[in-house]
Amino acid sequence: MMLKELIKQAPHAYDLAHGTDTALECGLSNGASYELIIGTAGCSPYLRNLIHKEQDWLAGIWEQEPEHAFQDILDQVDRSNLTVSLRTAKRRVALLTALCDLGGVWALEEVTKALTDFADFAVHESLKHLVLAEIGRGKLPVEAGRDPEGCAGIIVLAMGKMGAYELNYSSDIDLICLYDDSRYKLDDLGEVRPHLIRIVPVSYTHLRAHETGRNL
């Protein structure tokens, strides 16, 4: 079913004027989508700002199944401009998830799963990006890039809320990072190891940049 058909509820707007103005700016004048935007924008300045930034994208999601809309966000990430593209994806995931949450479309476990799935996606894409960059700089053997999904043998274990699929909107992520040294020739390990270790904090910085809007 389409998102607009799944909306069961809407919050009461604290600031009705802001909420109504935002809904009208989105081209909505009645119906469940209209009420949901009024309540959302009228209660949360953060979400109201996201609605303003993502009006064009938002106009297209009401006719989609929310799960398809979520997958489309991930599919549209531009890996050639990953930092900027992840920031856009994060805004859209936060907005879609909040609307499904506030509108009674998704249960709590579906909300936290969506947020966790995006965190998992962002970590994986950042690692792939940085591994390929190190290969391009000649710091890792070319063989490491032949299996980009394997991230050159780097293994990331999610702890805490991420590991339990319980991330909320403002959660940090706690990770344990390992690497599989059997992926490399024994004679190469001494040279490869420092570059694999270097990728991990750079990946974290990369993720923080897309969260805060800073450029690397």
Side-chain angles (χ1 to χ4, degrees), residues 123 127 154-160 162-163 173-178:
V123 169
L127 284 174
I154 297 175
I155 302 162
V156 178
L157 303 179
M159 308 298 289
M162 185 174 176
I173 56 176
D174 299 308
L175 307 174
I176 292 177
C177 300
L178 311 168

Side-chain angles (χ1 to χ4, degrees), residues 93-165:
V93 166
L95 183 53
L96 174 65
T97 305
L99 291 173
C100 288
D101 188 0
L102 295 170
V105 176
W106 284 347
L108 175 61
E109 58 270 22
E110 294 173 296
V111 170
T112 58
K113 182 179 185 301
L115 296 172
T116 305
D117 282 343
F118 176 69
D120 180 76
F121 173 84
V123 169
H124 188 61
E125 290 300 324
S126 294
L127 284 174
K128 285 197 298 183
H129 175 80
L130 292 165
V131 165
L132 291 174
E134 289 296 285
I135 291 169
R137 294 173 60 232
K139 302 302 183 181
L140 291 176
V142 174
E143 289 76 8
R146 291 181 178 168
D147 175 25
E149 294 303 315
C151 293
I154 297 175
I155 302 162
V156 178
L157 303 179
M159 308 298 289
K161 291 180 181 178
M162 185 174 176
Y165 271 84

Side-chain angles (χ1 to χ4, degrees), residues 50-97:
L50 293 189
I51 292 168
H52 285 303
K53 287 183 176 180
E54 295 294 341
Q55 276 189 41
D56 292 342
W57 170 81
L58 185 61
I61 71 167
W62 305 113
E63 308 291 330
Q64 296 185 56
E65 294 181 13
E67 293 78 14
H68 288 174
F70 177 85
Q71 187 59 49
D72 282 347
I73 294 170
L74 305 189
D75 291 343
Q76 291 170 15
V77 166
D78 180 4
R79 288 160 180 83
S80 67
N81 192 15
L82 192 61
T83 301
V84 172
S85 193
L86 280 178
R87 286 205 296 268
T88 300
K90 178 179 181 288
R91 287 198 306 267
R92 293 176 179 178
V93 166
L95 183 53
L96 174 65
T97 305

